[in-house]
Each structure stands twice: as C-alpha cells, then as structure tokens.
C-alpha cells in the first residue's frame, strides 16, 4: 500500500520502465547500448547526465587534452576509424569519433540526456532496480552502471581554497569563458592532465606556478601526423588498419611482465625517461626538482615532448614546497612564500576508489556500494558483478583499469560479459542473478595475491590506483587477453539464480503471509 510518507522512488506508477538501464554514455555505456541492440536486447535506456555522449572525453576539454594510448588502439574494435589524423589523437578528434559512432549506431533514440542518477536500489520482491534521477523515476530489470572511473573531480582539501576570488576550476571542468592570456596562473598537480595543460598555456600566461607534490616519470611521446599515404592505406587497403592495431596492441602487452612481475624489466624505459629529462632541462636545480623518487610504472607512465621545455621557460616556476593556504588572490606555501595569482587550475585527479556514485547504489540488503566496499574493499567478480547487487553489471568496475593499454579493449570485454548475462537471464527464464559471495571472494583473493609483486605495490609511490587501505582495487594485474578470455562467456554457475517461477511463488507466499 502506498502511504503519504512513502519515499518518491517507491511509487511504481510514476516510474518509466525499461528492461535494461545503462547509466552513462561514454565509451562504456555507448558501447554497451550498441552491443545490446545488435544482440536484439533492444528494450533499454541510457541515462546520461551530460548533454551529449562522450563521458570523460566530453568533459576533459582542457587545452592540450589528448590520449596517451595510440589512436589505432583507442577506438572500438567494431568501429575502426581510418580517418585519425595522427598517431596519438587529441580530445576534439576523439570526441568527434564517439559522436560519429553514436550517430551511426541507431541507439541515440534510447538516450536520455541531462538525466542524472540520484539513487538506485534493488527491490528484491519485484526483482527490479528502482532508479531515481533528476528527471523522474525509472525501473529496470537489469542495471549497467557505466559511469567511468575518471569522472568525479577530486578537489584538494587545502585551507582557504573556497575563499579564492580569482578564476578557479578543475582540469576536467575547464572554463572556456576565461581567457588566461597575460594572467598569473597556478596549476596544482603534475599528473597526466597537468602535463598537457602546462605546455598548452605556458606561452600565453604572464606567469605560471606549477605546484608539484610528486614528480612524475615522463617518456618521449612518439606522436606524429599521419601522411596522406598512410591515411589512404588505412581507408582502402583491406586489413591494413587491423594489422596496425594488432601491432600496437602486441607492443603494449610486452610491458605487462615488467609492470606485474619483474619491475626490473622497466629499467630501460626508466633510463629513456631519465635521458628525456636531462636533454630537456639543463638547469640542475630544476632537474633535481622534477626527478622522480619512485620506480617507473608505479604511477601512470606519462608521455610528453613539451612538458619539460615548458617548465624550463623563464615565466614558469615549479613549486615543491607544500601549499599551506590559498588566500583571496594568492597561494602561500609552508616556507611562508606568498605567490600572487589571478587564476587557479586544480589538476588534482578524480575520486576513483571513492566515487560519489557508489554512495547512491543500494543492493538487496539496502547497503550502498560504498558501505559494502568500505567493509570488504572495493571489489567485483571479473570487475563486473558485485555480491548483494543482483542484476547489476558494472562497466569499468574494480580492477579493470590498465597501466599500459587501451581501456576500450577492457570495456569491450566487459560488454561481452554483460550482454551474455542478459541473454542467459532470458534463455533460462531467470528474474535475477547475483554473484556468489564465496566465488567473488576467491576471485579477489587471487587477484590481490597477483597484485603483490607488481610495480604498483612495490614501486615506492602513492597513487590513485590504491584505495585508502593501500589495496590496489583499480588495475588488472595481467594481460588484457586474459581478461578477455575470462569475460567471453557468462558463467552462470558462479551466480545465485532466481527463476521467474520462484519469484512468483515467493511473492505469493509473502502476500499470503502478510494477509493472514
Ligand atoms: O590526475 P592524477 P590526472 N595538493 O590523479 C596532485 C587519465 N588521464 O587528472 O602525485 C597538491 O594522475 C597529485 O600529486 P601526487 C590517466 O589515467 C589520461 O592528471 O598524488 N597536489 C598529482 O600530481 C590519469 O592517470 C590522459 O603527489 C595534489 C595530481 O594532483 C588519470 O586520468 C590525460 C593534491 C593528480 O594527478 C588522472 O590524471 C589525462 C593536493 N592536495 C588524464 N591532490 C591521457 O590519456 C592531488 N595532487 C593523456
């Protein structure tokens, strides 16, 4: 019975239903929609909080934004792009690619844009996900969160930062209305985003302070424009682009042994990065400041040809004294130095292991994903299914990230698994599947064992790969083809399954019990 005090999200009459609801339309969500559609599972909706597809590639439009995975590999295997203009694509080209794929896919009619997830909870009695958004209520038999790992900006907890009176924005929320020309600018952070922003703005600002907490390892970027002949070949020579893609893929996989088993194998890469640094920066003081103090690979290996030259410009300072305070028009460091600024760019990364999205998804016991993961550590079965969260297939889930290759490859593997799961539910007349706790625990125990000798755990750094307990809950500790093999088929025996008939019987019994 509906009562006046019942929360809004339990009012089924108002909810719009789809068999499957995908949350997010970046590479993962869009890819899932396309593959579900192809497999004939056409009753789905994609809820996207932004105004268009693209996810992180829509949001990260900062100057200089580009991919550090080669273009040939950084695309869907089912939608190769022969028109890439260069070996490492820039953000506008990647975003245009995603837009084009979406437009040609025939799934945009089931996208609801500007629709932000506020809550999702599993209703066991109805075997449904009840989903609340800023645009109203939805229900779905299956939910596929595809919100991405790098979507929620992490803002630094620095005294006074809220009182800064100049322009301030996060790297992934770039304010294009602000003209930085001639301004005194500070960038906090020296990760993958910062090392692209700094060279892109150093030449136009009057002064740039780069606040570095940890110096990253930076390799040369083998980036170049494709010649007309190459582009012709990619477009017209059968198999040529697949071959190039396979070559890039294979080369990238050679890094896996060094990253996961024998970090000593990464020494040549570290040497190359050291030479790169020495060549670009002659000043011994600056060189010392930007020399990393951990083993290469421990944090994401960065690539850039113009970051070090930008740091060496006379109008750029690298500040390594910790920030003590931000004031209305300046930043103060622990040594008492006050540096005046007009604009502050916060390139401090993302909430990866503590995403706010985890706080609004509730499983069968009413517990949120974040509460569950606080207790047992962020984990999933094959990075996709979570015990207590039936009929939920998480894309870019726990331990699916990579330190060496294209996330699109991992995403496609997970999509295959999720589509197979949907097919299995239908084939067997199941109302729900939920991964068994023991299976998931075993899977994760083995995963954590495999992670122990990796450079991410032994390399002497702190990184966003690790959660607050020091566990690596983000990266896949092996070859990507291993993950592909694991996700090729949906393994029903790893799951508790409830048939539609069982659900009907238990509902009937419950109703009879409450009536008597
Ligand atoms: O974020 P990050 P990002 N005070 O977390 C510093 C992908 N990506 O946005 O190293 C001062 O890497 C922090 O310092 P430290 C890619 O997977 C890809 O740059 O923690 N500093 C670090 O320097 C990447 O890994 C591409 O000591 C603070 C920086 O901020 C991921 O996105 C491009 C601080 C954060 O670096 C994230 O990259 C861009 C504080 N309170 C991004 N808090 C390409 O494909 C944090 N920092 C090229």
């Amino acid at each position: 019975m509906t009562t006046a005090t019942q929360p809004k999200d339990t009012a089924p009459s108002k909810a719009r239903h789809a068999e499957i609801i995908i949350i997010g339309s970046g590479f993962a969500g869009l890819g899932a929609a396309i593959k579900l559609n192809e497999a004939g599972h056409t009753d789905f909706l994609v809820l996207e909080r932004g105004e268009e597809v693209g996810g992180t590639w829509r949001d990260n439009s900062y100057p200089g934004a580009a991919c550090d995975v080669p273009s040939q590999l950084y695309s869907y295997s089912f939608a190769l792009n022969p028109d890439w203009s260069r070996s490492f694509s820039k953000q506008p080209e990647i975003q245009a690619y995603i837009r084009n794929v979406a437009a040609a896919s025939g799934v945009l009619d089931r996208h609801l844009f500007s629709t932000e997830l506020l809550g999702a909870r599993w209703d066991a009695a109805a075997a449904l996900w009840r989903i609340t958004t800023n645009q109203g209520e939805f229900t779905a038999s299956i939910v596929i969160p595809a919100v991405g790992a790098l979507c929620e900006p992490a803002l630094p907890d620095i005294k006074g930062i809220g009182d800064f009176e100049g322009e301030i924005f996060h790297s992934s929320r770039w304010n294009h209305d602000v003209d930085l020309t001639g301004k005194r600018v500070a960038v906090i952070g020296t990760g993958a985003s910062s090392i692209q922003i700094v060279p892109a703005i150093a030449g136009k600002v009057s002064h740039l302070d780069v606040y570095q907490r940890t110096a990253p390892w930076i390799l040369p970027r083998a980036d170049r424009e494709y010649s007309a002949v190459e582009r012709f070949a990619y477009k017209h020579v059968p198999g040529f682009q697949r071959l190039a893609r396979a070559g890039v893929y294979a080369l990238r996989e050679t890094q896996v042994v060094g990253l996961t088993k024998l970090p000593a194998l990464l020494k040549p890469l570290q040497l190359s990065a050291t030479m790169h640094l020495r060549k670009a920066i002659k000043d011994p003081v600056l060189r010392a400041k930007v020399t990393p103090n951990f083993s290469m690979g421990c944090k994401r290996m960065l690539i850039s040809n113009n970051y070090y030259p930008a740091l060496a410009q006379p109008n750029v300072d690298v500040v390594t004294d910790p920030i003590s305070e931000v004031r209305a028009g300046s930043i103060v460091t622990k040594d008492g130095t006050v540096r005046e600024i007009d604009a502050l760019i916060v390139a401090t990364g993302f909430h990866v292991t503590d995403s706010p999205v985890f706080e609004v998804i509730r499983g069968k016991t009413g517990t949120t994903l974040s509460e569950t993961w606080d207790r047992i550590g962020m984990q999933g079965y094959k990075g996709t299914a979570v015990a207590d969260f039936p009929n939920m297939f998480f894309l870019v889930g726990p331990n699916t990230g990579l330190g060496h290759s294209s996330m699109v490859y991992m995403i496609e593997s997970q999509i295959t698994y999720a589509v197979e799961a949907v097919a299995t539910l239908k084939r067997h007349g199941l109302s729900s599947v939920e991964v068994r706790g023991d299976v998931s625990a075993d899977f994760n125990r083995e995963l954590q064992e495999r992670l122990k000798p990796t450079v991410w755990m032994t390399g002497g750094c702190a990184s966003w790969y690790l959660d607050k307990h020091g566990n690596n809950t983000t990266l896949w500790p092996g070859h990507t083809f291993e993950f592909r093999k694991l996700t090729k088929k949906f393994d029903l025996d790893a799951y508790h399954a409830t048939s539609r008939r069982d659900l009907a019987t238990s509902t009937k019994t419950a109703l009879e019990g409450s009536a008597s």
Side-chain angles (χ1 to χ4, degrees):
M1 190 178 76
T2 307
T3 67
T5 54
Q6 194 167 5
K8 259 173 117 188
D9 74 336
T10 59
S13 58
K14 285 188 191 162
R16 177 172 174 185
H17 182 76
E19 182 188 29
I20 305 158
I21 284 186
I22 300 167
I23 300 160
S25 190
F27 261 111
L30 175 63
I34 292 172
K35 286 292 156 184
L36 284 167
N37 203 42
E38 264 177 37
H41 310 298
T42 55
D43 180 13
F44 61 81
L45 286 173
V46 185
L47 311 183
E48 165 54 58
R49 70 179 174 182
E51 287 170 12
E52 65 164 338
V53 296
T56 198
W57 290 104
R58 177 199 59 219
D59 293 345
N60 281 275
S61 62
Y62 59 75
C67 191
D68 56 10
V69 174
S71 315
Q72 296 307 338
L73 195 56
Y74 204 79
S75 55
Y76 294 118
S77 64
F78 54 84
L80 296 194
N81 177 17
D83 296 320
W84 292 124
S85 66
R86 55 193 312 119
S87 51
F88 287 88
S89 307
K90 296 185 177 176
Q91 178 267 345
E93 204 170 352
I94 299 173
Q95 179 58 9
Y97 164 78
I98 300 173
R99 240 185 244 137
N100 290 341
V101 172
S105 67
V107 298
L108 279 178
D109 57 342
R110 278 150 288 171
H111 274 64
L112 299 177
F113 291 104
S114 305
T115 303
E116 181 163 11
L117 176 76
L118 301 178
R121 68 175 180 83
W122 176 251
D123 177 342
L128 279 179
W129 280 96
R130 298 198 179 279
I131 293 166
T132 308
T133 74
N134 61 340
Q135 302 292 339
E137 314 294 324
F138 296 83
T139 56
S141 306
I142 296 160
V143 72
I144 303 184
V147 295
L150 305 169
C151 65
E152 296 291 343
L155 303 172
D157 185 15
I158 299 173
K159 184 181 162 199
I161 198 163
D163 301 327
F164 181 68
E165 287 177 359
E167 299 293 348
I168 176 167
F169 43 88
H170 187 268
S171 52
S172 68
R173 300 289 183 271
W174 195 270
N175 185 347
H176 292 277
D177 294 335
V178 175
D179 183 5
L180 295 176
T181 310
K183 296 226 161 69
R184 297 163 303 174
V185 179
V187 175
I188 303 181
T190 53
S193 303
S194 170
I195 68 139
Q196 296 185 328
I197 293 167
V198 166
I201 64 170
K204 60 154 59 174
V205 302
S206 66
H207 187 83
L208 180 60
D209 290 321
V210 180
Y211 286 84
Q212 172 190 282
R213 194 164 66 177
T214 313
W217 282 109
I218 301 177
L219 286 158
R221 186 178 176 88
D223 189 17
R224 61 180 181 81
E225 273 188 29
Y226 286 134
S227 66
V229 174
E230 282 171 296
R231 291 175 72 169
F232 179 88
Y234 285 136
K235 207 168 197 145
H236 299 292
V237 178
F240 183 65
Q241 192 166 27
R242 291 259 168 227
L243 195 67
R245 184 179 166 94
V248 175
Y249 174 78
L251 202 64
R252 292 263 156 173
E253 287 302 306
T254 61
Q255 291 179 13
V256 171
V257 179
L259 289 166
T260 61
K261 289 195 174 104
L262 294 168
L265 292 179
L266 298 172
K267 287 289 175 210
L269 276 183
Q270 188 164 316
L271 188 65
S272 159
T274 307
M275 303 306 287
H276 182 53
L277 164 58
R278 286 203 188 139
K279 202 168 147 206
I281 297 185
K282 303 293 174 208
D283 170 12
V285 177
L286 179 57
R287 199 188 267 179
K289 268 188 185 175
V290 299
T291 299
N293 60 1
F294 58 90
S295 298
M296 178 155 208
C298 184
K299 280 174 181 282
R300 189 171 178 89
M301 295 182 277
L302 308 183
I303 52 171
S304 173
N305 295 336
N306 53 11
Y307 178 65
Y308 288 142
L311 296 188
Q313 293 304 306
N315 69 329
V316 180
D317 282 331
V318 176
V319 183
T320 52
D321 290 314
I323 298 170
S324 60
E325 183 185 351
V326 175
R327 292 185 186 157
S330 60
I331 294 184
V332 187
T333 43
K334 286 256 161 63
D335 61 356
T337 308
V338 179
R339 292 177 178 85
E340 307 277 338
I341 48 166
D342 306 306
L344 174 52
I345 296 156
V346 183
T348 45
F350 299 88
H351 288 285
V352 180
T353 57
D354 58 348
S355 170
V357 174
F358 305 160
E359 290 166 22
V360 301
I361 300 179
R362 291 180 187 278
K364 68 174 191 194
T365 60
T367 312
T368 63
L369 265 178
S370 63
E371 287 161 349
T372 304
W373 284 341
D374 257 358
R375 192 167 45 79
I376 58 169
M378 181 173 153
Q379 56 178 263
Y381 177 60
K382 302 188 177 182
T384 314
V386 182
D388 287 347
F389 292 78
N391 286 12
M392 181 183 84
F393 304 101
F394 214 105
L395 302 184
V396 196
N399 293 104
T400 58
L402 299 176
H404 71 288
S405 190
S406 170
M407 270 312 290
V408 185
Y409 184 94
M410 297 298 272
I411 285 169
E412 284 194 41
S413 303
Q414 285 196 284
I415 290 173
T416 302
Y417 191 72
V419 173
E420 278 283 304
V422 172
T424 306
L425 274 154
K426 286 188 180 176
R427 197 164 50 241
H428 294 275
L430 302 175
S431 63
S432 67
V433 289
E434 177 197 342
V435 70
R436 283 167 37 201
D438 58 326
V439 173
S440 182
D442 286 349
F443 178 84
N444 281 282
R445 206 171 298 118
E446 194 189 320
L447 205 66
Q448 289 303 324
E449 274 307 308
R450 285 184 67 180
L451 279 158
K452 278 184 186 161
T454 64
V455 70
W456 309 307
M457 308 299 288
T458 61
C461 77
S463 76
W464 63 259
Y465 297 155
L466 311 185
D467 68 9
K468 63 181 178 191
H469 307 293
N471 294 320
N472 187 324
T473 55
T474 55
L475 294 189
W476 175 247
H479 290 284
T480 56
F481 51 78
E482 286 178 67
F483 187 74
R484 174 133 311 177
K485 197 169 160 217
L486 273 185
T487 48
K488 213 173 166 59
K489 290 258 174 291
F490 183 70
D491 42 351
L492 186 56
D493 53 351
Y495 288 75
H496 295 297
T498 306
S499 70
R500 293 202 180 285
R501 202 178 310 124
D502 288 348
L503 178 74
T505 312
S506 67
T507 308
K508 190 162 168 264
T509 313
L511 286 175
E512 284 165 359
S514 63
S516 61

